[in-house]
Amino acid sequence: MLRRALGKGGPEVSALGIGAMSFAGFYGAVSVEGSHAVLDAALDAGVDHIDTANVYGMGKSEEIIGGFLKRYAGKGGIPFRIATKASITRDPDTGARCYDNSAAHLEAELDRSLKRLGLERVDLFYVHRRDPRVEIEEVTQTLARLIQKGKIGAFGFSEIAPTSLRRAAAVHPVAAVQSEYSLQTRQPDLGLLQACAELGTALVAFSPVGRGLLSDTPPTPERVGAAPFLKVNPRFTGDNLARNIKASQPLRDLAAEAGYPTATLAIAWVLSQGRMMHAIPGTRSPGHLQDLVRGASMMLGDDLKAEIEARLPVGWAHGARYSADQSIGPEDYC
């Protein structure tokens, strides 16, 4: 298992982590037992980085992880590095989704997350989305105080622009930035990868397998209909699902020719983009996890990497990566 630092001077973790949004049913039905089986398989494979958030199932993902961690109470420490997030909330008057980066909100939500996880401290705490009412320098100072209080080991931001990262890093080192990145979604190539490499910030790629499109079993219309996130996402709705399955078929063909699962090549490609790269795919299947782990254990040769990029050139995907509603919050920078 490839291991990398989670930020400059940060702890060394498996370059492949577990994105635990899948534990909350975003991509289909899931059980506590099934999620725990994934975590058991992760440990067996040397995976020790779990990424979750307070809004994944309104705490369900954290509760499932917390239940798993109870096994290690009083046994000398837990076997995972835990990351969680906060700032997405609801307007108390309208119920509309909004963002709160105030010190009071972030610390209160962190405290609730710690309780659900059964921990006194998490290794990494992200601001899930920027709140335009609060300057990022002020938010960074808030997060630095949480380190001083011993509640978090380090902090990061999710879906921010390179300029925002540079502003935050001028106040305090930023351990990680989380962003969608895969052969399907390449926006971070336009400045974010470069800023992370320069600043020593880890770039933690979520959805590195393109929400299942970059696998041997891409989503079917039935699976999309059962997944709350996918059934309103432009790349998986209308005719775009069939278009994207067809457009991604050359990667599946290449994987078969090379003797690898398609998801293995997708993970290996993401991790080949630089030493700051990490990947946190979500899965509900211990078997599928093994394909992902293989991607973090292989050295992707230059010829194979070039062929992967030739088969899936930049801009091949049909449809926007988010719906209009899903796109509220992530920072645009290109």
Side-chain angles (χ1 to χ4, degrees), residues 193-204:
L193 269 71
Q194 296 86 342
C196 286
E198 176 188 332
L199 296 168
T201 297
L203 180 53
V204 180

Side-chain angles (χ1 to χ4, degrees), residues 63 86 171 178 185 191 238 276 311:
E63 289 171 354
V171 176
Q178 190 170 125
T185 298
M276 74 290 186
R311 301 267 181 128

Side-chain angles (χ1 to χ4, degrees), residues 280-304:
I280 50 167
T283 183
R284 295 172 290 151
S285 164
H288 182 238
L289 178 63
Q290 300 310 310
D291 294 345
L292 303 171
V293 167
R294 286 184 68 183
S297 305
M298 70 178 290
M299 295 296 294
L300 193 62
D302 291 342
D303 290 346
L304 182 54

Side-chain angles (χ1 to χ4, degrees), residues 11-12 40 56 62 97 119 181 220 240 245 251 319:
E12 190 177 78
D40 279 324
Y56 293 169
E62 292 177 328
R97 187 180 70 225
L119 300 174
Y181 186 58
T220 62
N240 280 344
I245 290 174
L251 182 66

Side-chain angles (χ1 to χ4, degrees), residues 181-182 185-194 269 273 314 333:
Y181 186 58
S182 70
T185 298
R186 300 285 295 274
Q187 186 182 25
D189 287 338
L190 301 176
L192 189 59
L193 269 71
Q194 296 86 342
W269 180 87
Q273 300 307 300
V314 176
Y333 50 90

Side-chain angles (χ1 to χ4, degrees), residues 69-135:
L69 297 180
K70 285 182 179 178
R71 304 179 186 179
Y72 299 91
K75 295 183 179 180
I78 63 172
F80 289 109
R81 298 285 188 172
I82 307 293
T84 193
K85 316 177 196 71
S87 83
I88 300 177
T89 186
R90 295 283 177 181
D91 185 290
D93 297 322
T94 67
R97 187 180 70 225
C98 59
Y99 310 104
D100 190 343
N101 287 183
S102 68
H105 178 81
L106 291 175
E107 186 165 10
E109 288 302 312
L110 172 61
D111 288 342
R112 294 185 182 98
S113 292
L114 291 172
K115 183 175 182 180
R116 286 189 288 266
L117 291 163
L119 300 174
E120 295 182 355
R121 172 186 179 274
V122 289
D123 297 281
L124 183 59
F125 182 58
Y126 292 97
V127 172
H128 208 160
R129 293 290 187 271
R130 284 285 313 283
D131 176 351
R133 301 170 300 176
V134 187
E135 298 290 351

